[in-house]
Amino acid sequence: MSDGNYQKPGAGTVGYAYDDESRKPVIGSDPTIRSGTIIYDDVVIGDRFSTGHFALVRERTEIGDDALVGTNVTIDGETTIGSNASFQTGAYVPAKTAIGDHVFLGPHATLTNDPYPLRQKTELEGPTLEDHASVGANATVLPGVTVGRGSFVAAGAVVTRDVPEETLAVGAPATYEALPEPLRGGNDG
């Protein structure tokens, strides 16, 4: 791959031009991009990137090495994602989100970036997920919230305030507990 771009026949769209000035995405070596996937221009992705079917990666997103963006995952633009990230089916990552290394998003986990949808004009601010954070299936993390390093957000939790490092967040709204021993030590990969 001499120019860092890759598109397998029938894979979808790699290099969706959203603006006359946009530049083709740069994707590292050995990617697997499945059918229906759309990757916008002005995206930079590391080596061994893999998608499920119908994944969407919007403009001005940066993704590290060994990332998995599963089936029907949406990553809106202006987002940074570290290496060894794994986003499962249907996860949503809004614009202006920062995600560290070894982060896991379970099926249909939802991150949000607008504190007052349609009520007030405000600056969008996605959450921050620090290294080794895990967010379980159907959990929701509200705008501007930080999920600390090594923390675990349980399935279905609604996180309305920062989660300290190495903490378990459970319930709606989430309450915080000590991280159980089996969940300590960060995510593999």
Side-chain angles (χ1 to χ4, degrees):
M1 232 179 315
S2 60
D3 65 356
N5 294 312
Y6 178 77
Q7 186 167 355
K8 190 184 297 185
T13 302
V14 176
Y16 180 86
Y18 65 93
D19 183 279
D20 290 340
E21 308 277 320
S22 67
R23 295 187 320 241
K24 291 195 177 296
V26 176
I27 301 173
S29 66
D30 201 23
T32 301
I33 300 170
R34 291 187 171 82
S35 63
T37 294
I38 300 172
I39 299 173
Y40 275 53
D41 282 355
D42 296 321
V43 168
V44 177
I45 300 172
D47 296 336
R48 297 169 300 281
F49 176 66
S50 182
T51 73
H53 299 280
F54 303 102
L56 174 64
V57 180
R58 295 281 309 266
E59 69 276 3
R60 293 185 297 279
T61 293
E62 295 180 17
I63 302 174
D65 295 332
D66 301 300
L68 168 65
V69 176
T71 297
N72 291 321
V73 169
T74 297
I75 299 171
D76 277 339
E78 300 178 43
T79 293
T80 58
I81 299 167
S83 294
N84 297 294
S86 180
F87 302 165
Q88 303 302 299
T89 298
Y92 176 68
V93 178
K96 303 194 183 219
T97 296
I99 297 176
D101 296 333
H102 300 277
V103 170
F104 175 84
L105 294 180
H108 302 283
T110 301
L111 311 179
T112 63
N113 67 356
D114 190 345
Y116 308 107
L118 297 175
R119 300 294 173 151
Q120 296 179 19
K121 191 163 185 87
T122 185
E123 194 71 28
L124 299 178
E125 180 185 9
T128 298
L129 278 59
E130 294 180 347
D131 295 348
H132 294 279
S134 289
V135 178
N138 294 308
T140 301
V141 180
L142 295 186
V145 168
T146 296
V147 177
R149 180 182 177 85
S151 290
F152 195 100
V153 175
V158 178
V159 180
T160 61
R161 57 190 172 88
D162 291 351
V163 180
E165 290 186 11
E166 297 285 325
T167 299
L168 176 64
V170 296
T175 58
Y176 303 142
E177 302 175 6
L179 194 62
E181 190 60 38
L183 299 179
R184 293 185 182 274
N187 297 330
D188 293 336

